[in-house]
Amino acid sequence: MTTFTRRSLIAGATAGAALTVVGCTGSGAGNDAPPRVDPKSNGVFTRTPDANVTVPDADGAIGVSKALLSAATAVVVAPAPGAAAQPAASASPSPSRTATRTPAASASPSAAPGGDDKAKLAASVAKALGVPMFYDSPALAAELDRLQTRTVISYGPDAHGRERVEGPASADNLPQLPGLPRKPDANAQLVLTDGEPEPATAATLAAAGVTPLVLHSGHPGETKTSVEKVKADTKPIVAVGTAFGSVAAFDVKLDVARTAAELPGGGVTPFPGRRMIALYGHPGTAALGMMGEQPPAQAVGRVKEYVDEYQALLKDDTIIGAFEIITTVASGFPGKDGTYSFKTPQEQILPWIEEAERSGLYCVLDLQPGRTDFLTQAKLYADLLKRPWVGLALDPEWRLKPNQKHLQQIGQVGVDEINTVGAWLADFVKENKLPPKVLTLHQFQSRMIVGRDRLDTSRDEIQYLVHADGQGTQPMKQDTWGVLKKGLPANVYLGWKNFVDEDKPMLTPKQTVDQVHPTPYFVSYQ
């Protein structure tokens, strides 16, 4: 049996021709040649990827390390999340090929933290030392080999044949290791994350000198800032998180972020980079909603008053105005085509869209199709949908079966019809090089959308929003809200409607923010 000590490890490293004395930090040129490391001191070496990289959640800190680091002679290792706690190693030789010592600068931890606390402690120590952190896993040994790791500061796991140093109980009591702690040089590499990185990933990014840009949707065009950064930085980008998808999918989204028209408030995706406050109605028809109670310019002023109120309440969010325009109107008369749906001429809608564009508002075209299908009607307004700031809404309440008439029942639609519209609109967006569009689904009863759990949200060109547009008392509306949230498909946002006359009472903007949870991304007034 062989027991490793610091002396034997350093001696062995010195004998290796590949390990030659160099500085403690450096940057790679994107190739896979191992850097030359100092056998007498610890260091972390960075690399620049040759092409865009996506790191799924399952790869975590090891995936980040492969993208950004070429060597790290010391690392911190913690148990994998959910792993059973391992007994603390002693200083005496064990059956493994690893020597263990307690750092001279600190006593052994008096209490062994577990779970998330242990991970947070390990990450704080890794950041204080300036070294990466990993969770123990079957892939770890190979990554330590690639990084030429000699020392593992461990919070329980085996050191995989390296010197094992017991993890300290605090980042204020670091082990004394040659060359550590180190202060990573600032790294200009652009890294995007789909949420706040978990502890090991955050520590490894810090060891590489990277401050990531935190996003939430997995789209590089989410915000004004993210668009500015990806336009300014044409070098390879590292995207950390499963939401970014494959490299091929990320490349497509990156191209959209760099080339598509930005939306009001900046960024190219409607959500989650902004919230919209909308007036709902029909051009020139006051009876159908607040939007039509005044001409377009005055309607802009009215909605902006609401925007200002919400912006004061949601100071960290971007709030913009919107018009939701009833484009096809449920009718008591069949019309020449027998659909019981009035098709508003485009020339009547266009002045409202143009005023919205001049004023920094988004528009949503609302369809009430009667006895025809949603796709047939959506195609009638393709010219309007070519405009970057125009989305689409489907209102199943007014979707009739062949022998039905309005107001005799609540309409409904099958999810297959919705998915057909979604696929068409996604293709339309892609073909016309447009920013992703809102595709709103109005709903206030579960039965209105049959098979909603099969909604296809896989296309990056559209963002679904379920809009709770029931009216009545607030307890009734909250009950509806709760029902609609249950089983909501992934990647679907939520909207809320305030009815000026029908709600008893209608919520104020402050009450809407305080009482409707999660905070809606789209609030409309009718």
Side-chain angles (χ1 to χ4, degrees):
M1 179 182 69
T2 302
T3 300
F4 289 135
T5 65
R6 170 169 294 281
R7 186 181 298 273
S8 64
L9 283 166
I10 293 177
T14 306
L19 303 181
T20 309
V21 177
V22 295
C24 288
T25 61
S27 60
N31 58 54
D32 294 325
R36 295 172 297 173
V37 301
D38 186 345
K40 297 181 180 179
S41 185
N42 287 290
V44 175
F45 293 75
T46 61
R47 67 181 298 273
T48 300
D50 293 319
N52 294 331
V53 178
T54 59
V55 181
D57 294 342
D59 291 352
I62 289 180
V64 170
S65 174
K66 289 179 179 178
L68 299 177
L69 302 179
S70 56
T73 57
V75 305
V76 172
V77 176
Q86 298 183 27
S90 66
S92 59
S94 67
S96 72
R97 297 174 61 229
T98 305
T100 302
R101 68 182 178 95
T102 301
S106 67
S108 297
S110 58
D116 291 343
D117 289 339
K118 182 174 287 189
K120 291 176 182 177
L121 171 59
S124 69
V125 168
K127 289 180 180 179
L129 289 170
V131 301
M133 171 191 165
F134 304 112
Y135 297 115
D136 195 26
S137 72
L140 179 59
E143 182 61 7
L144 298 183
D145 287 343
R146 186 187 72 83
L147 292 174
Q148 304 180 63
T149 302
R150 300 190 298 258
T151 301
V152 171
I153 299 101
S154 175
Y155 283 86
D158 177 74
H160 299 280
R162 278 98 180 151
E163 180 192 34
R164 183 183 187 280
V165 174
E166 191 76 15
S170 167
D172 295 327
N173 227 356
L174 298 175
Q176 294 183 355
L177 299 170
L180 298 180
R182 59 179 284 273
K183 183 178 180 181
D185 294 332
N187 190 338
Q189 173 67 52
L190 180 56
V191 175
L192 311 177
T193 63
D194 67 353
E196 291 293 339
E198 53 79 28
T201 296
T204 302
L205 289 170
V210 168
T211 301
L213 177 62
V214 178
L215 303 176
H216 299 280
S217 65
H219 199 297
E222 181 180 306
T223 66
K224 178 180 180 180
T225 299
S226 66
V227 168
E228 288 174 349
K229 286 187 175 293
V230 299
K231 283 184 175 180
D233 194 335
T234 58
K235 299 186 295 295
I237 295 173
V238 178
V240 181
T242 298
F244 289 105
S246 66
V247 172
F250 177 72
D251 287 347
V252 171
K253 290 187 281 190
L254 187 59
D255 182 64
V256 171
R258 286 171 170 164
T259 61
E262 289 192 62
L263 303 179
V268 301
T269 60
F271 311 118
R274 79 208 73 242
R275 300 183 195 273
M276 301 186 189
I277 311 300
L279 297 187
Y280 176 93
H282 185 272
T285 308
L288 293 179
M290 290 174 63
M291 193 198 79
E293 293 177 354
Q294 60 279 302
Q298 293 178 25
V300 167
R302 192 173 182 183
V303 76
K304 284 191 172 182
E305 291 179 3
Y306 280 117
V307 168
D308 290 343
E309 289 190 69
Y310 280 92
Q311 188 65 77
L313 295 165
L314 299 166
K315 293 181 173 60
D316 295 333
D317 295 344
T318 298
I319 312 294
I320 69 166
F323 289 151
E324 184 167 1
I325 304 169
I326 308 174
T327 305
T328 62
V329 188
S331 172
F333 302 97
K336 293 181 180 179
D337 58 3
T339 62
Y340 289 84
S341 178
F342 171 74
K343 271 69 77 179
T344 306
Q346 292 193 34
E347 55 267 25
Q348 188 177 2
I349 299 170
L350 189 57
W352 289 81
I353 294 177
E354 291 175 337
E355 185 64 39
E357 290 172 341
R358 284 191 291 270
S359 305
L361 272 63
Y362 196 82
C363 289
V364 180
L365 306 182
D366 185 65
L367 304 181
Q368 302 176 357
R371 291 184 181 178
T372 190
D373 62 274
F374 283 113
L375 181 58
T376 296
Q377 287 204 335
K379 289 180 176 180
L380 297 176
Y381 297 93
D383 285 346
L384 297 181
L385 289 169
K386 286 181 180 178
R387 305 175 88 96
W389 296 5
V390 177
L392 188 65
L394 313 181
D395 200 340
E397 179 182 3
W398 310 108
R399 175 70 168 91
L400 300 176
K401 294 179 180 178
N403 296 316
Q404 291 178 338
K405 294 183 179 180
H406 296 300
L407 302 179
Q408 295 180 359
Q409 69 288 302
I410 301 299
Q412 65 178 183
V413 66
V415 75
D416 290 338
E417 183 172 329
I418 294 174
N419 285 338
T420 299
V421 176
W424 172 81
L425 186 60
D427 289 342
F428 183 87
V429 167
K430 186 175 182 178
E431 291 165 4
N432 289 279
K433 300 186 183 303
L434 297 167
K437 288 189 179 293
V438 175
L439 182 47
T440 297
L441 308 177
H442 287 280
Q443 189 178 18
F444 55 87
Q445 293 179 354
S446 297
R447 61 169 295 280
M448 289 172 62
I449 301 176
V450 180
R452 193 185 72 169
D453 59 308
R454 295 189 290 106
L455 186 67
D456 181 4
T457 61
S458 64
R459 297 294 298 269
D460 294 315
E461 297 86 357
I462 56 174
Q463 289 188 323
Y464 279 104
L465 179 134
V466 168
H467 195 186
D469 63 353
Q471 60 192 29
T473 67
Q474 290 307 317
M476 291 169 56
K477 295 189 69 161
Q478 284 292 345
D479 286 346
T480 299
W481 182 250
V483 169
L484 295 181
K485 288 191 296 183
K486 291 180 180 177
L488 191 71
N491 306 316
V492 175
Y493 297 88
L494 284 166
W496 174 272
K497 182 178 284 189
N498 285 320
F499 288 83
V500 176
D501 298 323
E502 292 83 0
D503 284 352
K504 302 183 186 302
M506 186 184 82
L507 298 181
T508 65
K510 186 176 189 309
Q511 289 171 329
T512 303
V513 171
D514 289 345
Q515 297 179 26
V516 184
H517 302 291
T519 304
Y521 280 93
F522 192 99
V523 178
S524 64
Y525 285 82
Q526 180 174 348

mmCIF file of all heavy atoms in Angstrom, residues 47-90:
data_model
loop_
_atom_site.group_PDB
_atom_site.id
_atom_site.type_symbol
_atom_site.label_atom_id
_atom_site.label_comp_id
_atom_site.label_asym_id
_atom_site.label_seq_id
_atom_site.Cartn_x
_atom_site.Cartn_y
_atom_site.Cartn_z
ATOM 1 N N ARG A 47 -8.825 29.310 -19.496
ATOM 2 C CA ARG A 47 -8.755 29.097 -20.942
ATOM 3 C C ARG A 47 -9.898 29.843 -21.603
ATOM 4 O O ARG A 47 -10.893 30.195 -20.954
ATOM 5 C CB ARG A 47 -8.823 27.603 -21.288
ATOM 6 C CG ARG A 47 -10.161 26.945 -20.969
ATOM 7 C CD ARG A 47 -10.183 25.454 -21.302
ATOM 8 N NE ARG A 47 -9.988 25.199 -22.716
ATOM 9 C CZ ARG A 47 -10.970 25.181 -23.608
ATOM 10 N NH1 ARG A 47 -12.217 25.424 -23.249
ATOM 11 N NH2 ARG A 47 -10.714 24.917 -24.865
ATOM 12 N N THR A 48 -9.771 30.083 -22.895
ATOM 13 C CA THR A 48 -10.825 30.727 -23.675
ATOM 14 C C THR A 48 -11.405 29.705 -24.633
ATOM 15 O O THR A 48 -10.666 29.113 -25.427
ATOM 16 C CB THR A 48 -10.265 31.920 -24.479
ATOM 17 O OG1 THR A 48 -9.701 32.872 -23.574
ATOM 18 C CG2 THR A 48 -11.365 32.582 -25.290
ATOM 19 N N PRO A 49 -12.713 29.448 -24.565
ATOM 20 C CA PRO A 49 -13.287 28.451 -25.479
ATOM 21 C C PRO A 49 -13.177 28.885 -26.936
ATOM 22 O O PRO A 49 -13.150 30.076 -27.245
ATOM 23 C CB PRO A 49 -14.752 28.356 -25.031
ATOM 24 C CG PRO A 49 -14.995 29.490 -24.120
ATOM 25 C CD PRO A 49 -13.691 30.023 -23.653
ATOM 26 N N ASP A 50 -13.094 27.897 -27.810
ATOM 27 C CA ASP A 50 -12.983 28.168 -29.247
ATOM 28 C C ASP A 50 -14.331 28.454 -29.893
ATOM 29 O O ASP A 50 -14.393 29.014 -30.979
ATOM 30 C CB ASP A 50 -12.345 26.968 -29.962
ATOM 31 C CG ASP A 50 -10.898 26.765 -29.560
ATOM 32 O OD1 ASP A 50 -10.179 27.772 -29.438
ATOM 33 O OD2 ASP A 50 -10.495 25.611 -29.353
ATOM 34 N N ALA A 51 -15.422 28.030 -29.237
ATOM 35 C CA ALA A 51 -16.772 28.209 -29.782
ATOM 36 C C ALA A 51 -17.731 28.351 -28.614
ATOM 37 O O ALA A 51 -17.360 28.141 -27.453
ATOM 38 C CB ALA A 51 -17.155 27.005 -30.652
ATOM 39 N N ASN A 52 -18.959 28.744 -28.903
ATOM 40 C CA ASN A 52 -19.961 28.858 -27.853
ATOM 41 C C ASN A 52 -20.105 27.533 -27.108
ATOM 42 O O ASN A 52 -20.017 26.460 -27.708
ATOM 43 C CB ASN A 52 -21.311 29.270 -28.437
ATOM 44 C CG ASN A 52 -21.286 30.667 -29.025
ATOM 45 O OD1 ASN A 52 -20.530 31.535 -28.584
ATOM 46 N ND2 ASN A 52 -22.126 30.904 -30.019
ATOM 47 N N VAL A 53 -20.335 27.628 -25.806
ATOM 48 C CA VAL A 53 -20.464 26.448 -24.953
ATOM 49 C C VAL A 53 -21.758 26.565 -24.152
ATOM 50 O O VAL A 53 -22.054 27.634 -23.612
ATOM 51 C CB VAL A 53 -19.278 26.324 -23.979
ATOM 52 C CG1 VAL A 53 -19.458 25.124 -23.056
ATOM 53 C CG2 VAL A 53 -17.961 26.225 -24.738
ATOM 54 N N THR A 54 -22.532 25.487 -24.072
ATOM 55 C CA THR A 54 -23.651 25.437 -23.147
ATOM 56 C C THR A 54 -23.371 24.356 -22.111
ATOM 57 O O THR A 54 -22.864 23.290 -22.445
ATOM 58 C CB THR A 54 -24.984 25.140 -23.853
ATOM 59 O OG1 THR A 54 -24.909 23.891 -24.544
ATOM 60 C CG2 THR A 54 -25.331 26.245 -24.846
ATOM 61 N N VAL A 55 -23.694 24.661 -20.868
ATOM 62 C CA VAL A 55 -23.436 23.741 -19.752
ATOM 63 C C VAL A 55 -24.770 23.393 -19.106
ATOM 64 O O VAL A 55 -25.347 24.226 -18.405
ATOM 65 C CB VAL A 55 -22.498 24.371 -18.714
ATOM 66 C CG1 VAL A 55 -22.231 23.389 -17.580
ATOM 67 C CG2 VAL A 55 -21.194 24.826 -19.362
ATOM 68 N N PRO A 56 -25.296 22.192 -19.325
ATOM 69 C CA PRO A 56 -26.569 21.820 -18.684
ATOM 70 C C PRO A 56 -26.408 21.678 -17.185
ATOM 71 O O PRO A 56 -25.290 21.504 -16.669
ATOM 72 C CB PRO A 56 -26.911 20.481 -19.343
ATOM 73 C CG PRO A 56 -25.611 19.927 -19.817
ATOM 74 C CD PRO A 56 -24.769 21.116 -20.179
ATOM 75 N N ASP A 57 -27.524 21.735 -16.481
ATOM 76 C CA ASP A 57 -27.483 21.651 -15.021
ATOM 77 C C ASP A 57 -26.763 20.393 -14.544
ATOM 78 O O ASP A 57 -26.045 20.415 -13.541
ATOM 79 C CB ASP A 57 -28.907 21.658 -14.458
ATOM 80 C CG ASP A 57 -29.615 22.981 -14.703
ATOM 81 O OD1 ASP A 57 -28.927 23.981 -14.988
ATOM 82 O OD2 ASP A 57 -30.866 23.017 -14.626
ATOM 83 N N ALA A 58 -26.959 19.296 -15.261
ATOM 84 C CA ALA A 58 -26.367 18.025 -14.836
ATOM 85 C C ALA A 58 -24.839 18.078 -14.840
ATOM 86 O O ALA A 58 -24.182 17.358 -14.087
ATOM 87 C CB ALA A 58 -26.852 16.895 -15.735
ATOM 88 N N ASP A 59 -24.245 18.921 -15.678
ATOM 89 C CA ASP A 59 -22.778 19.015 -15.738
ATOM 90 C C ASP A 59 -22.220 19.984 -14.699
ATOM 91 O O ASP A 59 -21.065 19.857 -14.283
ATOM 92 C CB ASP A 59 -22.333 19.446 -17.133
ATOM 93 C CG ASP A 59 -22.576 18.369 -18.170
ATOM 94 O OD1 ASP A 59 -22.940 17.246 -17.776
ATOM 95 O OD2 ASP A 59 -22.417 18.652 -19.372
ATOM 96 N N GLY A 60 -23.000 20.974 -14.306
ATOM 97 C CA GLY A 60 -22.660 21.871 -13.215
ATOM 98 C C GLY A 60 -21.255 22.424 -13.255
ATOM 99 O O GLY A 60 -20.747 22.855 -14.293
ATOM 100 N N ALA A 61 -20.594 22.408 -12.079
ATOM 101 C CA ALA A 61 -19.277 23.026 -11.949
ATOM 102 C C ALA A 61 -18.226 22.339 -12.804
ATOM 103 O O ALA A 61 -17.305 22.993 -13.304
ATOM 104 C CB ALA A 61 -18.843 23.017 -10.483
ATOM 105 N N ILE A 62 -18.349 21.031 -13.007
ATOM 106 C CA ILE A 62 -17.378 20.348 -13.866
ATOM 107 C C ILE A 62 -17.497 20.846 -15.295
ATOM 108 O O ILE A 62 -16.493 21.064 -15.984
ATOM 109 C CB ILE A 62 -17.565 18.818 -13.777
ATOM 110 C CG1 ILE A 62 -17.094 18.317 -12.406
ATOM 111 C CG2 ILE A 62 -16.802 18.106 -14.895
ATOM 112 C CD1 ILE A 62 -17.223 16.821 -12.206
ATOM 113 N N GLY A 63 -18.726 21.052 -15.772
ATOM 114 C CA GLY A 63 -18.909 21.599 -17.114
ATOM 115 C C GLY A 63 -18.337 22.999 -17.233
ATOM 116 O O GLY A 63 -17.722 23.345 -18.250
ATOM 117 N N VAL A 64 -18.533 23.816 -16.216
ATOM 118 C CA VAL A 64 -17.954 25.164 -16.221
ATOM 119 C C VAL A 64 -16.437 25.089 -16.219
ATOM 120 O O VAL A 64 -15.757 25.834 -16.931
ATOM 121 C CB VAL A 64 -18.463 25.954 -14.992
ATOM 122 C CG1 VAL A 64 -17.689 27.261 -14.829
ATOM 123 C CG2 VAL A 64 -19.957 26.237 -15.133
ATOM 124 N N SER A 65 -15.887 24.180 -15.421
ATOM 125 C CA SER A 65 -14.436 24.008 -15.372
ATOM 126 C C SER A 65 -13.873 23.636 -16.742
ATOM 127 O O SER A 65 -12.861 24.193 -17.183
ATOM 128 C CB SER A 65 -14.088 22.940 -14.336
ATOM 129 O OG SER A 65 -12.713 22.640 -14.355
ATOM 130 N N LYS A 66 -14.516 22.695 -17.413
ATOM 131 C CA LYS A 66 -14.038 22.292 -18.732
ATOM 132 C C LYS A 66 -14.047 23.454 -19.713
ATOM 133 O O LYS A 66 -13.180 23.546 -20.589
ATOM 134 C CB LYS A 66 -14.900 21.145 -19.257
ATOM 135 C CG LYS A 66 -14.693 19.823 -18.524
ATOM 136 C CD LYS A 66 -15.609 18.746 -19.080
ATOM 137 C CE LYS A 66 -15.377 17.412 -18.365
ATOM 138 N NZ LYS A 66 -16.297 16.349 -18.868
ATOM 139 N N ALA A 67 -15.026 24.346 -19.566
ATOM 140 C CA ALA A 67 -15.133 25.469 -20.491
ATOM 141 C C ALA A 67 -14.128 26.571 -20.186
ATOM 142 O O ALA A 67 -13.611 27.214 -21.105
ATOM 143 C CB ALA A 67 -16.549 26.043 -20.451
ATOM 144 N N LEU A 68 -13.835 26.794 -18.902
ATOM 145 C CA LEU A 68 -13.104 28.000 -18.512
ATOM 146 C C LEU A 68 -11.736 27.766 -17.881
ATOM 147 O O LEU A 68 -10.945 28.701 -17.779
ATOM 148 C CB LEU A 68 -13.955 28.818 -17.529
ATOM 149 C CG LEU A 68 -15.296 29.325 -18.044
ATOM 150 C CD1 LEU A 68 -16.048 30.043 -16.931
ATOM 151 C CD2 LEU A 68 -15.111 30.248 -19.237
ATOM 152 N N LEU A 69 -11.455 26.547 -17.415
ATOM 153 C CA LEU A 69 -10.200 26.300 -16.713
ATOM 154 C C LEU A 69 -9.357 25.261 -17.442
ATOM 155 O O LEU A 69 -9.871 24.295 -17.977
ATOM 156 C CB LEU A 69 -10.471 25.802 -15.284
ATOM 157 C CG LEU A 69 -11.295 26.715 -14.374
ATOM 158 C CD1 LEU A 69 -11.486 26.062 -13.008
ATOM 159 C CD2 LEU A 69 -10.648 28.084 -14.240
ATOM 160 N N SER A 70 -8.045 25.468 -17.421
ATOM 161 C CA SER A 70 -7.136 24.476 -17.990
ATOM 162 C C SER A 70 -6.320 23.766 -16.918
ATOM 163 O O SER A 70 -5.780 22.686 -17.159
ATOM 164 C CB SER A 70 -6.195 25.131 -19.004
ATOM 165 O OG SER A 70 -5.479 26.200 -18.401
ATOM 166 N N ALA A 71 -6.235 24.349 -15.718
ATOM 167 C CA ALA A 71 -5.546 23.689 -14.608
ATOM 168 C C ALA A 71 -5.981 24.320 -13.306
ATOM 169 O O ALA A 71 -6.314 25.511 -13.251
ATOM 170 C CB ALA A 71 -4.024 23.785 -14.761
ATOM 171 N N ALA A 72 -5.970 23.506 -12.244
ATOM 172 C CA ALA A 72 -6.235 23.988 -10.894
ATOM 173 C C ALA A 72 -5.585 22.987 -9.947
ATOM 174 O O ALA A 72 -6.068 21.865 -9.782
ATOM 175 C CB ALA A 72 -7.727 24.093 -10.618
ATOM 176 N N THR A 73 -4.484 23.380 -9.353
ATOM 177 C CA THR A 73 -3.712 22.416 -8.564
ATOM 178 C C THR A 73 -4.331 22.133 -7.204
ATOM 179 O O THR A 73 -3.964 21.167 -6.546
ATOM 180 C CB THR A 73 -2.279 22.922 -8.374
ATOM 181 O OG1 THR A 73 -2.313 24.203 -7.745
ATOM 182 C CG2 THR A 73 -1.568 23.018 -9.715
ATOM 183 N N ALA A 74 -5.268 22.976 -6.769
ATOM 184 C CA ALA A 74 -6.006 22.729 -5.536
ATOM 185 C C ALA A 74 -7.472 23.025 -5.784
ATOM 186 O O ALA A 74 -7.809 23.991 -6.497
ATOM 187 C CB ALA A 74 -5.475 23.592 -4.394
ATOM 188 N N VAL A 75 -8.344 22.203 -5.228
ATOM 189 C CA VAL A 75 -9.781 22.389 -5.398
ATOM 190 C C VAL A 75 -10.475 22.068 -4.075
ATOM 191 O O VAL A 75 -9.906 21.424 -3.188
ATOM 192 C CB VAL A 75 -10.366 21.482 -6.510
ATOM 193 C CG1 VAL A 75 -9.637 21.689 -7.835
ATOM 194 C CG2 VAL A 75 -10.339 20.016 -6.101
ATOM 195 N N VAL A 76 -11.718 22.517 -3.963
ATOM 196 C CA VAL A 76 -12.571 22.159 -2.832
ATOM 197 C C VAL A 76 -13.613 21.169 -3.329
ATOM 198 O O VAL A 76 -14.171 21.336 -4.417
ATOM 199 C CB VAL A 76 -13.256 23.405 -2.235
ATOM 200 C CG1 VAL A 76 -14.292 23.010 -1.170
ATOM 201 C CG2 VAL A 76 -12.224 24.352 -1.639
ATOM 202 N N VAL A 77 -13.866 20.125 -2.540
ATOM 203 C CA VAL A 77 -14.851 19.104 -2.922
ATOM 204 C C VAL A 77 -15.822 18.893 -1.766
ATOM 205 O O VAL A 77 -15.416 18.745 -0.607
ATOM 206 C CB VAL A 77 -14.172 17.767 -3.296
ATOM 207 C CG1 VAL A 77 -15.225 16.700 -3.594
ATOM 208 C CG2 VAL A 77 -13.260 17.961 -4.508
ATOM 209 N N ALA A 78 -17.100 18.860 -2.095
ATOM 210 C CA ALA A 78 -18.160 18.604 -1.119
ATOM 211 C C ALA A 78 -18.977 17.410 -1.581
ATOM 212 O O ALA A 78 -18.934 17.027 -2.765
ATOM 213 C CB ALA A 78 -19.057 19.839 -0.977
ATOM 214 N N PRO A 79 -19.728 16.785 -0.678
ATOM 215 C CA PRO A 79 -20.586 15.670 -1.096
ATOM 216 C C PRO A 79 -21.605 16.121 -2.132
ATOM 217 O O PRO A 79 -22.048 17.277 -2.130
ATOM 218 C CB PRO A 79 -21.282 15.246 0.208
ATOM 219 C CG PRO A 79 -20.448 15.809 1.306
ATOM 220 C CD PRO A 79 -19.836 17.056 0.765
ATOM 221 N N ALA A 80 -21.977 15.219 -3.013
ATOM 222 C CA ALA A 80 -23.010 15.528 -3.993
ATOM 223 C C ALA A 80 -24.299 15.874 -3.267
ATOM 224 O O ALA A 80 -24.593 15.318 -2.202
ATOM 225 C CB ALA A 80 -23.234 14.338 -4.922
ATOM 226 N N PRO A 81 -25.094 16.819 -3.778
ATOM 227 C CA PRO A 81 -26.357 17.167 -3.125
ATOM 228 C C PRO A 81 -27.211 15.928 -2.896
ATOM 229 O O PRO A 81 -27.408 15.111 -3.799
ATOM 230 C CB PRO A 81 -27.013 18.121 -4.127
ATOM 231 C CG PRO A 81 -25.865 18.719 -4.867
ATOM 232 C CD PRO A 81 -24.841 17.624 -4.975
ATOM 233 N N GLY A 82 -27.658 15.765 -1.663
ATOM 234 C CA GLY A 82 -28.488 14.610 -1.336
ATOM 235 C C GLY A 82 -27.716 13.380 -0.940
ATOM 236 O O GLY A 82 -28.298 12.378 -0.525
ATOM 237 N N ALA A 83 -26.379 13.426 -1.034
ATOM 238 C CA ALA A 83 -25.577 12.258 -0.673
ATOM 239 C C ALA A 83 -25.527 12.107 0.836
ATOM 240 O O ALA A 83 -25.566 13.081 1.587
ATOM 241 C CB ALA A 83 -24.159 12.392 -1.221
ATOM 242 N N ALA A 84 -25.427 10.866 1.285
ATOM 243 C CA ALA A 84 -25.330 10.598 2.723
ATOM 244 C C ALA A 84 -24.012 11.148 3.251
ATOM 245 O O ALA A 84 -22.984 11.114 2.573
ATOM 246 C CB ALA A 84 -25.425 9.100 3.003
ATOM 247 N N ALA A 85 -24.043 11.655 4.450
ATOM 248 C CA ALA A 85 -22.837 12.204 5.057
ATOM 249 C C ALA A 85 -21.795 11.119 5.248
ATOM 250 O O ALA A 85 -22.110 9.983 5.589
ATOM 251 C CB ALA A 85 -23.177 12.838 6.399
ATOM 252 N N GLN A 86 -20.521 11.468 5.010
ATOM 253 C CA GLN A 86 -19.433 10.527 5.181
ATOM 254 C C GLN A 86 -18.686 10.844 6.470
ATOM 255 O O GLN A 86 -18.579 11.996 6.874
ATOM 256 C CB GLN A 86 -18.456 10.629 4.002
ATOM 257 C CG GLN A 86 -19.099 10.284 2.663
ATOM 258 C CD GLN A 86 -18.070 10.323 1.561
ATOM 259 O OE1 GLN A 86 -16.893 10.112 1.789
ATOM 260 N NE2 GLN A 86 -18.509 10.573 0.347
ATOM 261 N N PRO A 87 -18.142 9.846 7.139
ATOM 262 C CA PRO A 87 -17.396 10.125 8.366
ATOM 263 C C PRO A 87 -16.147 10.938 8.060
ATOM 264 O O PRO A 87 -15.530 10.778 7.011
ATOM 265 C CB PRO A 87 -17.037 8.726 8.888
ATOM 266 C CG PRO A 87 -17.095 7.839 7.683
ATOM 267 C CD PRO A 87 -18.164 8.403 6.810
ATOM 268 N N ALA A 88 -15.794 11.800 8.994
ATOM 269 C CA ALA A 88 -14.597 12.616 8.811
ATOM 270 C C ALA A 88 -13.364 11.736 8.814
ATOM 271 O O ALA A 88 -13.247 10.784 9.577
ATOM 272 C CB ALA A 88 -14.509 13.653 9.932
ATOM 273 N N ALA A 89 -12.427 12.059 7.930
ATOM 274 C CA ALA A 89 -11.193 11.267 7.853
ATOM 275 C C ALA A 89 -10.249 11.682 8.965
ATOM 276 O O ALA A 89 -10.247 12.810 9.434
ATOM 277 C CB ALA A 89 -10.546 11.475 6.499
ATOM 278 N N SER A 90 -9.418 10.734 9.374
ATOM 279 C CA SER A 90 -8.437 11.026 10.419
ATOM 280 C C SER A 90 -7.092 11.341 9.782
ATOM 281 O O SER A 90 -6.895 11.179 8.592
ATOM 282 C CB SER A 90 -8.296 9.816 11.335
ATOM 283 O OG SER A 90 -7.743 8.735 10.615
#
